[in-house]
């Protein structure tokens, strides 16, 4: 217990108290029971054998009224029993002002109201310091305790300030970055953001522009447009028109079309009708009636309607009845007849059935080859429609080309397939004009080797290319034209 007393020596206090009480309560001047005169107060001890004058007050303690109007003196009454502090005790030298000096539970001769051991016990139990004075006790609280008797204990977190002391409330003043009633919360807001700190705060963050998330830890990455920032934001971007991608970094390049823009967009273009290419920059030029390969994945190529030809399908076929036009985007509009027929006439308007012209059927030998040729002399003027090649074994595919004798001028080239033993024929897809008596040459080029039939110089009108004493087994067909 810690207390400081200003009441002086307890023995002196006791003597003073007793002396004061005796002096204050002793009978007045005269012998006990002496008559004080009319209207005077009788201060002696009441005695039934001693009559009181009319109008006298009986100062006894029995509380009775005597002689028709006498009254006992009570605490605070004016008279020979002074009570300076009105505490109900006859004294004129109070020890503890305003309190009953007779109350002293621990009988240490210090009135209870001014005794730290009694009135200040709670203060000292919590580490406070009690100070005694004639007006009572006062308490000085130990650090971290508060209230009139220092009964409260501060609960503020380390680094915070408590409103302690006898007049304190125990409220906490948080250090910067701490929050809550006891300042136990620690702000986690990222640098540049503001925390709702303090005893009344909840630790929530107010993010700086361009930051997001509960702790404002996220940094917006939007290259354009608007970021969903703030403590409740997720950092997603809202792109302006014609920007795309999660950060709106992409720029749409579509021409006269619609772009898949926005944060979820890919920037791909949806082309308007008649446009093509990744950016829809291409403009279809196909002739009316044809179809353009349009759209972002298109290449602008044309699919021609029947009877038209050329890259833009702008050519119109002019073949007569019974003739076939080489139409389509890769066609040239040429007219042709059916298999084994030639197109004859000054206007190439009639089809003539082809006849066998040149042939070499006498064979006995073979040759293994992938490329081989034979010269021949046309016996009929007209249209060469097809060629036969005799094969001993093997299958393959490739092409056959008809040229002049030297092989420098190509007259026709068509696909050729070797599928069987014996004669394998190709019918040309276009006319090959030949003149009787003129030497021509056909050349076969295959993907893999086959064994072809040949003879030893049995065909007088030509020979195997590069071997003048050998001839292939072959035949030519010509539609005679006048």
């Amino acid at each position: 217990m810690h207390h400081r007393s200003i009441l002086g020596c307890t023995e002196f206090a006791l003597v003073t108290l007793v002396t004061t009480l005796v002096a204050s309560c002793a009978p007045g001047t005269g012998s006990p029971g002496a008559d004080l005169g009319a209207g005077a107060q009788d201060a002696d001890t009441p005695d039934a054998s001693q009559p009181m004058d009319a109008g006298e007050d009986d100062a006894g303690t029995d509380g009775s009224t005597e002689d028709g109007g006498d009254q006992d003196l009570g605490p605070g009454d004016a008279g020979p029993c002074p009570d300076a502090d009105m505490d109900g005790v006859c004294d004129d030298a109070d020890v503890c002002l305003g309190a009953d000096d007779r109350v002293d539970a621990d009988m240490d001769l210090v009135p209870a109201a001014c005794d730290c051991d009694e009135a200040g016990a709670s203060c000292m139990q919590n580490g406070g310091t009690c100070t005694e004075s004639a007006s009572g006790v006062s308490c000085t609280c130990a650090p971290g305790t508060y209230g009139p008797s220092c009964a409260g204990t501060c609960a503020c977190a380390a680094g915070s300030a408590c409103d302690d002391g006898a007049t304190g409330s125990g409220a906490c003043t948080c250090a910067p970055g701490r929050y809550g009633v006891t300042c136990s919360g620690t702000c986690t807001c990222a640098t540049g953001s503001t925390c709702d700190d303090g005893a009344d705060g909840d630790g929530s963050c107010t993010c700086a522009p361009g930051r997001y998330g509960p702790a404002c830890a996220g940094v917006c990455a939007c290259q354009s447009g608007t970021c969903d920032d703030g403590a409740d934001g997720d950092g997603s971007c809202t792109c302006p028109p014609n920007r795309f991608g999660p950060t709106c970094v992409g720029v749409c390049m579509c021409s006269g079309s619609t772009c898949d823009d926005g944060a979820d967009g890919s920037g791909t273009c949806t082309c308007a009708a008649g446009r093509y290419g990744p950016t829809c920059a291409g403009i279809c030029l196909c002739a009316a009636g044809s179809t353009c390969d349009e759209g972002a994945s298109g290449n602008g190529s044309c699919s021609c309607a029947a009877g038209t030809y050329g890259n833009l399908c702008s050519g119109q076929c002019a073949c007569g009845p019974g003739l076939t036009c080489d139409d389509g985007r890769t066609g040239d509009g040429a007219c042709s007849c059916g298999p084994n027929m030639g197109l004859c006439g000054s206007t190439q308007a009639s089809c003539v059935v082809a006849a066998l012209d040149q042939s070499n059927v006498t064979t006995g030998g073979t040759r293994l080859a992938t490329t081989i040729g034979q010269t021949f002399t046309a016996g009929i003027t007209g249209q060469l429609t097809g060629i036969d090649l005799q094969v001993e074994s093997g299958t393959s595919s490739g092409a056959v080309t008809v040229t002049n004798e030297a092989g420098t001028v190509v007259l026709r080239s068509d696909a050729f397939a070797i599928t069987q033993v014996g004669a394998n024929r190709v019918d040309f897809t276009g006319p090959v004009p030949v003149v009787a008596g003129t030497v021509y040459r056909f050349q076969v080029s295959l993907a893999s080797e086959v064994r072809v039939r040949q003879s030893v110089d049995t065909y007088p009108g030509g020979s195997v290319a590069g071997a003048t004493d050998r001839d292939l087994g072959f035949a030519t067909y010509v539609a005679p034209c006048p």
Side-chain angles (χ1 to χ4, degrees):
M1 295 185 290
H2 304 277
H3 72 271
R4 295 177 295 168
S5 174
I6 66 170
L7 297 181
C9 176
T10 55
E11 290 82 355
F12 175 77
L14 176 59
V15 172
T16 301
L17 176 60
V18 172
T19 302
T20 301
L21 293 175
V22 171
S24 300
C25 297
T29 304
S31 59
D35 188 3
L36 300 177
Q41 294 176 335
D42 184 6
D44 61 345
T45 303
D47 188 345
S49 63
Q50 190 69 256
M52 301 181 71
D53 296 333
E56 271 185 12
D57 290 333
D58 182 8
T61 58
D62 60 0
S64 63
T65 301
E66 301 177 292
D67 300 330
D70 288 343
Q71 295 180 346
D72 293 336
L73 286 172
D77 290 341
C81 185
D83 184 9
D85 59 0
M86 305 290 287
D87 62 357
V89 179
C90 293
D91 55 12
D92 57 5
D94 283 318
V95 176
C96 189
L97 299 177
D100 189 345
D101 293 338
R102 296 172 299 176
V103 179
D104 184 11
D106 60 3
M107 301 183 68
D108 62 354
L109 303 182
V110 180
C114 291
D115 189 351
C116 281
D117 291 333
E118 296 184 62
S122 177
C123 167
M124 293 187 290
Q125 288 172 3
N126 286 284
T129 300
C130 180
T131 302
E132 299 172 346
S133 70
S135 59
V137 297
S138 62
C139 195
T140 301
C141 299
T145 63
Y146 64 91
S149 60
C150 304
T153 301
C154 291
C156 306
S160 304
C162 177
D163 182 18
D164 56 7
T167 60
S169 65
C172 302
T173 300
C174 301
R178 309 280 302 199
Y179 66 91
V181 175
T182 61
C183 305
S184 58
T186 302
C187 292
T188 58
C189 306
T191 303
S193 306
T194 303
C195 177
D196 182 17
D197 56 8
D200 297 330
D202 60 5
S204 60
C205 303
T206 299
C207 301
R211 300 193 74 103
Y212 67 91
C216 305
V219 180
C220 291
C222 307
Q223 299 299 303
S224 62
T226 304
C227 176
D228 183 17
D229 56 7
D232 296 328
D234 60 6
S236 59
C237 304
T238 299
C239 302
N242 291 318
R243 303 288 295 232
F244 67 91
T247 62
C248 305
V249 67
V251 179
C252 292
M253 304 299 292
C254 306
S255 299
S257 55
T258 303
C259 176
D260 180 20
D261 56 9
D264 297 328
S266 63
T268 57
C269 304
T270 300
C271 301
R275 302 191 75 103
Y276 67 91
T279 63
C280 305
I283 299 176
C284 291
L285 299 174
C286 304
S290 57
T291 302
C292 176
D293 183 15
E294 61 188 8
S297 60
N299 60 14
S301 61
C302 304
S303 296
C304 301
T308 62
Y309 64 91
N311 283 335
L312 302 179
C313 305
S314 56
Q316 296 289 326
C317 291
C319 301
L323 300 178
T324 300
C325 176
D326 183 16
D327 58 7
R329 184 172 64 89
T330 59
D332 60 5
C335 302
S336 63
C337 300
N340 201 35
M341 299 183 72
L343 188 63
C344 298
S346 58
T347 60
Q348 294 187 334
S350 61
C351 293
V352 177
V353 176
L356 176 64
D357 182 17
Q358 303 296 304
S359 68
N360 177 36
V361 295
T362 303
T363 62
T366 61
R367 176 188 292 267
L368 191 63
T370 55
T371 301
I372 193 167
Q374 172 76 40
T375 58
F376 65 94
T377 303
I380 303 174
T381 298
Q383 298 289 340
L384 176 65
T385 63
I387 295 174
D388 278 344
L389 180 64
Q390 295 288 330
V391 176
E392 182 68 22
S393 65
T395 59
S396 188
S397 60
V400 59
T401 302
V402 179
T403 67
N404 60 353
E405 181 180 10
T408 57
V409 179
V410 176
L411 303 178
R412 193 76 190 177
S413 182
D414 272 312
F416 188 26
I418 304 298
T419 61
Q420 61 185 12
V421 174
N424 287 264
R425 181 166 177 166
V426 56
D427 288 310
F428 296 118
T429 57
V432 183
V434 292
V435 175
T438 303
V439 178
Y440 299 94
R441 175 179 176 177
F442 68 82
Q443 183 85 18
V444 176
S445 299
L446 301 173
S448 57
E449 288 183 330
V450 297
R451 189 169 292 280
V452 296
R453 293 173 178 171
Q454 66 177 8
S455 62
V456 179
D457 200 16
T458 56
Y459 172 66
S463 64
V464 170
T468 57
D469 61 344
R470 297 289 188 274
D471 295 298
L472 297 177
F474 77 99
T476 64
Y477 300 88
V478 177
C481 294

